[in-house]
Amino acid sequence: MKKFNFPLALYIPAELGLDGEAVFSVCAGAFEAAQTPAASHVVFEKDISIKPQGCKIKSADSFVTVFYGDGAGAFYALVTLWQIYKTEGSLKIDEIEDAPDILNRGFMLDISRGKVPTLSALKNLADLLAHFKYNQIQLYIEGFSFLYPSFADYCDESCALTAEELCELDRYCRVRFIDLVPNQNSLGHMAPWLAKKEFAPLAECEGGFTYGNFTVPPTTLDPDDRKSLRLVGAMMDDLLPCFSSKKFHAGLDEPFELGCGKSKDKDLKQLVSKYITELNAMSNSRGKEMMIWADTVHRFGCTDVKLPDNIVFMEWGYEKEYSFGSRCKALADAGKRFYVCPGTSSWLSFLGLTDCMLKNIDNAICAGIENGAEGILLTDWGDGNHMQYMPVSYPAIVYCGMRAWNSQAFISERELANALDALVFEDENRVMGALALDAGKYHLYEEFLLPCRTIAYTVYQNGIDSLEKFDSSLKFTAMLIKIMAAEEVSAAFPLVNMSINTEKTQELLKFLEGIKKRLASARMRCADSVTVAGEFENAVETVMLFTEYRECLARGKSVSYLNERIYAAAERHKKLWLARNKLSGLEASVCQMIKFIK
């Protein structure tokens, strides 16, 4: 077996269609440019028998041969060699055969509930995803996180991505074999638009709608109003030209008010099916194949309706209890095309929910492959001011990328931690990988478990500053879970005993102190290592603050001693936010923290 030392000399033949700058950027350190084919340690040979995106790598005495079927396969072969460089240091192989189990492997980032990343941060994200062979990115848009040229008065580029930025990101992704897919909600989640005087009449419930005793502003368009489609069409005409992708994700999830307002006496199954069909025609006329979230077709019984064959349904569920199997089977039996869409479990948590994340991704992949899913979309949401820092989602990104590529491989937490240390954090002391996973287990020490959120985050999000508010807020949360969550999820979280247990909070605080001490021993060498360390440190401190805060409430103790620490955490949060993001959402997230200063 021949041993090759890195960097390998690499000459990229023109016929591969690879962008040299992208290759040397994504695979930094593994290769150095060769000026002639004869000087290259890597030789490429076309083999049409190889599966799409797949490759075969063989070593000989003085060179490595990459057999590929398409340009993506050649690119992923080089990424594989880069992974070996980062994990092993040298190349000692006879032969590697590699091809993905799931052809479409996407990551969706919410850029609308707080954070709007800078172009630089999005390019760094694209490189990270390329390292784990993702080939699709979606940026979830609701409201005004995109600077729509036709509605430019509603926001500015300090808080929104511009058309020029999206076009540049699209080019950056394309040469990394990543399809940047536009994602814009087009029915529910329209609250920012419906809050505008000129669009308010388009709401299903113009006066808002009520859950129990809680009234919220309108969020859902009236699908029977032609002006709703005209508004969505104008949004599409501004957004879609920024993307070379042939796909368009039109959303349509969680139209909460349907059947409660203008459509109260209408056939909702027929109404929703008609809207989907019309929106699909609009997408197709603009050269796009439409994707939509699947919850709406399940809710209104549309899975057995004859809808256009080219629609792709995005089956989402984020708890480890969520039954991907039954819902994927329903879509498959109805002849629908679909993706599975698990989550990073990072939102509403500060530090993630490791056990939920791992099981949720496993369930999605198994059900997807068993039922013929066309792809997977790992989602990273920003509910509740998007307070989780980006690195908190790295374990999910790495795990989902590895499992979607090779679904048969069992990946232990130790192996996942090693991959994070070597390929992401570049931690010489091999601390950060396991630390990131362990930090996401803090909810297991809390007084009781909640789906897709933690108690610490609930205290922050709901502004809980008294025992009475703790009780009422948690009861409302329990009601929402019962109403909105899938049946198997709400059954797993009965939430009957929701009280603060100071013995549990003390145990949790000791656990978090241990995480903080371990963080101090990390020696990261990734380009943003200082920012990453600061993000984890502040996330741990924030969880501790909202744990101590509720402990004080239970003990009847003054919380004023926390004032200085809360203020310091808020000030650090500002700097950390701006290291990766625009101004949008920063003030709201900080103000919510400052409210707790007494």
Side-chain angles (χ1 to χ4, degrees), residues 56-73:
K56 185 185 296 183
I57 305 172
K58 286 186 174 182
S59 64
D61 288 339
S62 58
F63 59 87
V64 176
T65 302
V66 170
F67 298 90
Y68 67 97
D70 56 18

Side-chain angles (χ1 to χ4, degrees), residues 479-527:
M479 182 192 73
L480 285 183
I481 291 167
K482 189 172 182 178
I483 293 172
M484 297 170 59
E487 185 178 344
E488 65 273 21
V489 174
S490 61
F493 296 90
L495 300 178
V496 291
N497 181 17
M498 297 179 291
S499 58
I500 302 170
N501 182 324
T502 56
E503 289 184 8
K504 294 282 287 184
T505 56
Q506 280 296 303
E507 185 180 1
L508 171 56
L509 290 170
K510 290 178 182 178
F511 172 79
L512 292 168
E513 283 289 356
I515 295 290
K516 189 182 290 188
K517 289 178 182 178
R518 288 165 61 188
L519 180 60
S521 65
R523 292 293 178 269
M524 291 181 282
R525 294 293 179 261
C526 53

Side-chain angles (χ1 to χ4, degrees), residues 86-222:
K86 298 294 287 186
T87 55
E88 305 295 334
S90 62
L91 179 64
K92 294 178 286 186
I93 60 165
D94 287 327
E95 182 175 321
I96 296 174
E97 287 194 48
D98 210 10
D101 288 340
I102 299 177
L103 287 179
N104 297 294
R105 303 169 304 282
F107 177 73
M108 189 218 79
L109 179 65
D110 183 352
I111 64 168
S112 298
R113 253 78 73 82
K115 290 173 180 168
V116 177
T118 61
L119 178 60
S120 175
L122 289 170
K123 287 180 176 179
N124 290 337
L125 174 63
D127 283 339
L128 172 70
L129 294 170
H131 287 155
F132 297 96
K133 304 178 183 177
Y134 284 79
N135 59 2
Q136 190 178 126
I137 296 177
Q138 300 190 17
L139 302 177
Y140 171 77
I141 296 171
E142 65 176 64
F144 308 109
S145 51
F146 168 63
L147 186 58
Y148 292 92
S150 300
F151 308 97
D153 292 342
Y154 296 155
C155 60
D156 61 61
E157 60 185 83
S158 70
C159 294
L161 289 172
T162 66
E164 293 75 17
E165 287 174 321
L166 284 178
C167 288
E168 184 175 340
L169 180 63
D170 183 78
R171 290 189 293 270
Y172 192 87
C173 289
R174 195 163 58 245
V175 296
R176 287 156 175 78
F177 291 87
I178 294 174
D179 188 20
L180 184 66
V181 176
N183 183 322
Q184 168 193 278
N185 230 323
S186 310
L187 180 61
H189 291 278
M190 294 292 287
W193 291 89
L194 297 175
K196 302 295 181 184
K197 184 177 180 181
E198 58 268 48
F199 302 122
L202 300 182
E204 165 75 12
C205 296
E206 290 187 49
F209 67 108
T210 301
Y211 277 130
N213 297 319
F214 192 73
T215 299
V216 297
T219 70
T220 302
L221 290 171
D222 173 8

Side-chain angles (χ1 to χ4, degrees), residues 384-385 387 456-463 546 589 592-593 596:
N385 294 329
M387 290 293 285
Y457 204 101
T458 303
V459 171
Y460 159 81
Q461 184 184 20
N462 294 352
F546 291 116
S589 68
Q592 188 67 11
M593 293 182 73
F596 288 87

